[in-house]
Amino acid sequence: MAVIPALLVFAIPGILSVVQGRKAMRLGRKDGRVPAMIGAGIAVGFVLLNVASYLFGQPAG
Protein backbone atom coordinates (compact mmCIF):
# COMPACT_ATOMS: atom_id res chain seq x y z
CA MET A 1 0.00 0.00 0.00
CA ALA A 2 2.90 2.35 0.65
CA VAL A 3 4.39 1.75 -2.80
CA ILE A 4 2.29 4.34 -4.61
CA PRO A 5 3.09 7.29 -2.29
CA ALA A 6 6.76 6.29 -2.32
CA LEU A 7 6.82 6.29 -6.12
CA LEU A 8 5.14 9.70 -6.16
CA VAL A 9 7.79 11.08 -3.81
CA PHE A 10 10.46 9.96 -6.26
CA ALA A 11 8.57 11.11 -9.37
CA ILE A 12 7.48 14.61 -8.28
CA PRO A 13 10.94 16.28 -8.48
CA GLY A 14 11.48 14.79 -11.93
CA ILE A 15 8.08 15.95 -13.12
CA LEU A 16 8.72 19.45 -11.79
CA SER A 17 12.12 19.67 -13.50
CA VAL A 18 10.57 18.59 -16.81
CA VAL A 19 7.80 21.17 -16.47
CA GLN A 20 10.22 23.97 -15.61
CA GLY A 21 12.73 22.92 -18.28
CA ARG A 22 10.03 22.91 -20.95
CA LYS A 23 8.83 26.29 -19.73
CA ALA A 24 12.36 27.67 -20.08
CA MET A 25 12.60 26.26 -23.61
CA ARG A 26 9.25 27.77 -24.52
CA LEU A 27 10.49 31.15 -23.29
CA GLY A 28 13.54 30.93 -25.54
CA ARG A 29 16.16 29.29 -23.31
CA LYS A 30 17.44 26.29 -25.24
CA ASP A 31 19.50 25.19 -22.23
CA GLY A 32 16.25 24.38 -20.40
CA ARG A 33 16.43 21.01 -22.12
CA VAL A 34 19.28 19.85 -19.84
CA PRO A 35 17.44 19.95 -16.48
CA ALA A 36 14.34 18.52 -18.15
CA MET A 37 16.24 15.51 -19.49
CA ILE A 38 18.23 14.95 -16.29
CA GLY A 39 15.16 15.25 -14.08
CA ALA A 40 13.14 12.91 -16.25
CA GLY A 41 15.97 10.37 -16.36
CA ILE A 42 16.49 10.38 -12.62
CA ALA A 43 12.76 10.12 -11.89
CA VAL A 44 12.29 7.24 -14.32
CA GLY A 45 15.38 5.51 -12.96
CA PHE A 46 14.21 5.74 -9.34
CA VAL A 47 10.71 4.55 -10.20
CA LEU A 48 12.01 1.60 -12.25
CA LEU A 49 14.48 0.67 -9.53
CA ASN A 50 11.77 0.68 -6.87
CA VAL A 51 9.31 -1.25 -9.03
CA ALA A 52 11.97 -3.86 -9.80
CA SER A 53 12.89 -4.07 -6.13
CA TYR A 54 9.25 -4.62 -5.24
CA LEU A 55 8.64 -7.21 -7.94
CA PHE A 56 11.84 -9.22 -7.53
CA GLY A 57 12.00 -8.84 -3.76
CA GLN A 58 8.79 -10.82 -3.22
CA PRO A 59 9.31 -14.32 -1.88
CA ALA A 60 8.45 -17.10 -4.35
CA GLY A 61 5.38 -19.07 -3.57
Side-chain angles (χ1 to χ4, degrees):
M1 197 61 138
V3 172
I4 295 171
L7 291 177
L8 286 175
V9 167
F10 283 124
I12 288 174
I15 292 169
L16 291 176
S17 67
V18 169
V19 169
Q20 293 300 317
R22 289 182 55 116
K23 182 178 178 182
M25 289 188 313
R26 191 173 52 248
L27 293 174
R29 297 288 308 245
K30 298 295 181 193
D31 52 349
R33 181 184 336 233
V34 174
M37 290 174 37
I38 291 172
I42 289 173
V44 168
F46 274 129
V47 169
L48 290 177
L49 183 64
N50 283 303
V51 169
S53 174
Y54 174 74
L55 291 176
F56 297 119
Q58 298 293 320

